Amino acid sequence: MNRGSLAVARTAAVAGVAAAAVLVAGLVLGGSVTEKVIPGLGDAGVVTRWGLPASRAAMDLAAALTVGALLASAALLPLEGGRGAGRLSDDAVGYLRAASWLAAAWAAAAAATLVFTVADVLGQPVGEVLTGSELSSYVGSLPQGTALMLVVLLAVVVALLARTTTTPAAAFGLLAMAGVALLPPPLTGHSASAANHSVAVTGVALHVAAIAPWVGGLAIVGVHALLGRDKLPVMADRFSRMALWCYVIVGASGLVNVIARLPDPAELLSTDYGRLALGKIAFFAALGWFGWWHRERTLPALADRKPWSFTRLASVEVAVMAATMGLAVALARTAPPAPAGEETPVKALVGYDMPPEINPVRLLTLWQFDLFFAVLVAALGGLYLGAVVRLRRRGDAWPLGRTASWLVGLLSIVIVTESGIGKYAPFLFSVHMAQHMVLNMLTPIFLVVGAPVTLALRALKPARIRGDRGPREWLTAALHSRYTAFIAHPAVATIIFVASTFALYFTSLFESAMRSHLGHIAMMLHFLLAGCLFFWVLLGVDPAPKKLPYPGRLLLLFVTMPFHAFFGIALMNLSQALARGWYNAVHPPWGVPTLQDQHTGGAIAWGFGEIPTFIVLIVLAFQWYFDDQRQARRMDRKADRAGAPGGDPAQDELAVYNARLAKLAERDRAAKGPAGKDRDDKDRLAGEQGGTSPS
């Protein structure tokens, strides 16, 4: 073992000890391992009390390291091979193979966590769970069990594929799969049962999605530095820029999570959960100082070829991060304080109490904060306006109408998700249908006309290293991929736009989505993305694999829109209510019968289709007109260049066309012979004199 490998092993040991020490201290101070056993109640035993948090900490650390290794392979290390033939470097392939082993460890730790979780829930020793039939019986029925089983399956897939893949796209795909595998466990913990679980669920998802690449990325960059590998300055610079955004997201989402569970600030000092949360905040502040020091001191030192200044600080930072993750596991094992007020059944299902009787004023004024869509709108708006500002600073113009269209689309998302419409949508199917129609058929029109892809391609800078892939190159590769060509085919986009609506509402998927906040978010996102895909094909401002001619776009519009009218008529003729279990549980005392309300929702779906059809016709008319104008100007410019001195007459399409007609006419006269030529001359002379030729 060389010096670099010894340094890596020593740093990993220090980080492991720090995580274990803080985990043990947090479990003891939080009281989760010192609870009194009540006679007569099941007890999982001391092995489970300590084994569950230990396996959970191992799972979280293995997950972060897997994400970090895949991130280093796909994004932190530059590609090699020149423009158009980029391939993973040898170091990147090595990290891809390391991710295979790390993902296997992740799967094993998740499996151990699954066993301990079942033992903890059933109150049985882990030995009885392993030898009995409880494990197989309860995995599918427990939300935590299902979530951990998904983690095991996805981690195993990552472990298997990472051993054989060598392409940049495959590494990026595995990184995305690992990112998805991060989310199920935290989303089935305290966040799902918090007082305002809609905010808590989104907050914890953002928290985990940001902290894994931050912790894992730093660990892999530190390994790269300790081993003395090439491209360390590039790798550290890219990680530093990503880490800044991760730090901001982790801080904001962590604050949201604390507020959701501890609405009273005094509980930060008076409860075990609050005191552990304060400790985590202190660790987070220390990590912020480390990040600032990296940007100010160690990155310039790396540019001056002084790597050890980075490795010394990074080793300490990795230990602090590991300790923070140990504290986070202890915090997850500590029960937050119970809500002060009585929780009604409606609040347990929806996350807030039943609103008062609906009327137009309350639809406009009773706003309900939805963190997911608030973050989505803020991110999309900020990125778009930032790209416009970059273009203008560069001296390039961007149409004001496109910016206005994009902002109108974002405003429509805010109105239907944050206002009274979003508040009443879980209780009334008619309000939900209005929300669906806007997100699926109105918002996408304005977003697509805003041309975000075109703006991104113009604003993003090419990769600094030749042959590497930055955001612009990844976006271009995605546009030219076979997957995009398939899904953006007019027939496929139309089927997704139309058929998915019938498949959702007339199966059990609708009720399942309404019962889960994550399912509800997925449903709303599907409405939005399916509409964007269809109107991208129809309105076609951004580059697309296949462009329909304007008559074909009109035909596609008139063929597709009646299906939404058929959907509305089908709802208006329902004899039994959809999702009866959900709407019986949340039916408001002031509301109309559920079936009648769903008939109203069908009428909204039937009549709403006229609005987007009218808007699309106007947009298509303008696009068709301006496209003809552009084509005419293009032909005029070509004709001017062809007629200029030194120009190529063959480039003048109109002149070439006239010459071809003249040549055909000459060929016809030659075919007629001398007699035909004399006759043509007489006809031409008679025409010039105003007479007629003899018959």
Side-chain angles (χ1 to χ4, degrees):
M1 184 178 291
N2 57 28
R3 180 180 177 184
S5 299
L6 285 173
V8 171
R10 185 169 55 251
T11 302
V14 171
V17 170
V22 175
L23 173 63
V24 171
L27 292 173
V28 173
L29 294 175
S32 59
V33 294
T34 58
E35 296 178 350
K36 294 182 178 180
V37 178
I38 301 175
L41 295 181
D43 180 25
V46 66
V47 175
T48 298
R49 279 196 293 273
W50 287 100
L52 178 55
S55 62
R56 181 63 182 268
M59 182 183 72
D60 291 345
L61 288 172
L65 292 174
T66 303
V67 171
L70 293 171
L71 181 68
S73 177
L76 297 183
L77 284 170
L79 301 181
E80 296 179 350
R83 195 173 299 279
R87 64 175 186 272
L88 296 177
S89 64
D90 292 339
D91 287 338
V93 173
Y95 290 130
L96 198 58
R97 300 296 178 262
S100 175
W101 292 104
L102 292 168
W106 183 10
T113 306
L114 173 60
V115 174
F116 284 122
T117 299
V118 174
D120 185 59
V121 172
L122 297 181
Q124 296 181 1
V126 67
E128 295 182 9
V129 172
L130 289 174
T131 57
S133 60
E134 289 84 357
L135 185 61
S136 58
S137 301
Y138 280 87
V139 164
S141 58
L142 291 174
Q144 299 95 327
T146 304
L148 289 169
M149 183 57 67
L150 286 175
V151 173
V152 172
L153 294 176
L154 291 174
V156 168
V157 172
V158 171
L160 294 176
L161 295 181
R163 297 195 63 83
T164 57
T165 53
T166 57
T167 63
F172 192 84
L174 290 177
L175 176 60
M177 185 180 296
V180 172
L182 291 171
L183 299 178
L187 296 182
T188 54
H190 293 155
S191 58
S193 58
N196 191 354
H197 59 253
S198 62
V199 174
V201 165
T202 305
V204 76
L206 291 173
H207 197 74
V208 172
I211 204 169
W214 183 24
V215 175
L218 177 65
I220 300 302
V221 173
V223 169
H224 197 84
L226 291 171
L227 295 177
R229 302 284 177 82
D230 294 334
K231 302 291 190 301
L232 178 60
V234 175
M235 196 176 183
D237 179 67
R238 292 182 177 182
F239 171 77
S240 178
R241 283 181 284 167
M242 182 203 72
L244 176 61
W245 288 105
C246 289
Y247 185 81
V248 172
I249 295 172
V250 167
S253 59
L255 181 62
V256 168
N257 291 330
V258 170
I259 293 174
R261 294 171 178 82
L262 302 175
D264 184 2
E267 292 177 331
L268 285 171
L269 298 175
S270 61
T271 63
D272 293 335
Y273 189 92
R275 287 188 286 269
L276 291 180
L278 280 178
K280 189 177 177 183
I281 292 172
F283 277 115
F284 178 75
L287 291 173
W289 179 85
F290 279 110
W292 173 83
W293 191 269
H294 275 306
R295 295 180 68 88
E296 295 295 323
R297 301 293 179 87
T298 62
L299 289 182
L302 283 178
D304 295 335
R305 300 184 182 276
K306 299 177 182 178
W308 285 105
S309 61
F310 172 81
T311 56
R312 284 194 296 267
L313 187 65
S315 299
V316 179
E317 187 179 3
V318 166
V320 175
M321 280 188 167
T324 306
M325 295 190 72
L327 183 59
V329 173
L331 187 65
R333 289 291 298 161
T334 304
E342 182 180 355
E343 187 175 38
T344 63
V346 169
K347 189 173 183 179
L349 289 172
V350 181
Y352 52 90
D353 289 321
M354 178 79 68
E357 185 174 357
I358 188 172
N359 59 47
V361 175
R362 286 173 178 155
L363 280 175
L364 296 175
T365 58
L366 277 182
W367 286 62
Q368 177 69 31
F369 181 67
D370 190 303
L371 179 60
F372 177 83
F373 286 102
V375 170
L376 179 66
V377 169
L380 293 178
L383 290 173
Y384 193 96
L385 294 177
V388 172
V389 170
R390 174 178 285 187
L391 285 184
R392 294 194 179 278
R393 287 178 177 175
R394 203 168 63 195
D396 295 337
W398 182 254
L400 183 61
R402 290 183 179 178
T403 304
S405 177
W406 181 261
L407 295 179
V408 168
L410 296 182
L411 178 62
S412 67
I413 297 176
V414 171
I415 291 174
V416 298
T417 59
E418 310 284 342
S419 70
I421 297 175
K423 193 176 186 72
Y424 283 95
F427 304 97
L428 297 175
F429 182 83
S430 55
V431 179
H432 164 82
M433 186 52 59
Q435 188 183 52
H436 170 184
M437 290 293 109
V438 171
L439 289 176
N440 189 234
M441 301 179 66
L442 191 62
T443 300
I445 297 174
F446 295 102
L447 295 182
V448 167
V449 172
V453 177
T454 302
L455 176 62
L457 291 174
R458 291 182 58 186
L460 291 172
K461 298 178 181 179
R464 297 178 183 178
I465 302 174
R466 183 178 180 84
D468 193 17
R469 280 187 181 180
R472 191 177 191 277
E473 288 74 20
W474 278 111
L475 179 58
T476 303
L479 288 173
H480 291 88
S481 67
R482 286 178 292 181
Y483 172 77
T484 303
F486 171 77
I487 199 171
H489 190 280
V492 176
T494 302
I495 291 173
I496 294 174
F497 183 65
V498 174
S500 61
T501 301
F502 288 88
L504 173 69
Y505 284 100
F506 294 109
T507 64
S508 60
L509 287 175
F510 177 55
E511 183 165 2
S512 299
M514 294 298 290
R515 288 187 174 275
S516 166
H517 182 67
L518 290 178
H520 186 261
I521 290 177
M523 177 174 61
M524 306 304 284
L525 271 182
H526 171 76
F527 294 154
L528 183 62
L529 294 177
C532 287
L533 177 64
F534 175 74
F535 288 108
W536 176 33
V537 173
L538 197 63
L539 300 178
V541 177
D542 285 324
K546 183 177 180 60
K547 289 279 189 178
L548 281 176
Y550 285 99
R553 298 183 189 187
L554 288 174
L555 179 62
L556 181 62
L557 174 67
F558 289 123
V559 167
T560 303
M561 287 306 173
F563 284 98
H564 279 81
F566 298 154
F567 169 70
I569 293 172
L571 291 177
M572 294 169 65
N573 288 280
L574 286 174
S575 58
Q576 292 185 345
L578 302 175
R580 284 176 292 175
W582 170 259
Y583 284 107
N584 288 338
V586 300
H587 187 266
W590 42 261
V592 299
T594 301
L595 186 59
Q596 180 182 343
D597 182 60
Q598 292 186 356
H599 289 167
T600 304
I604 292 173
W606 175 70
F608 193 89
E610 305 297 330
I611 300 174
T613 301
F614 179 70
I615 296 175
V616 170
L617 285 175
I618 294 176
V619 173
L620 281 178
F622 277 100
Q623 286 183 345
W624 201 343
Y625 170 77
F626 287 121
D627 184 68
D628 286 343
Q629 295 295 314
R630 284 193 296 270
Q631 294 293 336
R633 289 194 297 269
R634 184 180 63 83
M635 294 181 65
D636 291 341
R637 286 194 298 268
K638 290 183 67 175
D640 293 340
R641 288 195 299 267
D648 184 6
Q651 296 297 320
D652 188 350
E653 297 179 5
L654 183 59
V656 171
Y657 179 71
N658 290 334
R660 182 168 177 271
L661 290 180
K663 186 175 181 180
L664 291 174
E666 183 65 29
R667 184 183 302 170
D668 290 342
R669 286 195 295 270
K672 293 177 181 178
K677 184 177 180 181
D678 293 341
R679 181 186 178 104
D680 290 343
D681 291 340
K682 291 179 180 179
D683 290 343
R684 185 170 58 256
L685 180 61
E688 292 174 354
Q689 295 176 351
T692 58
S693 60
S695 58

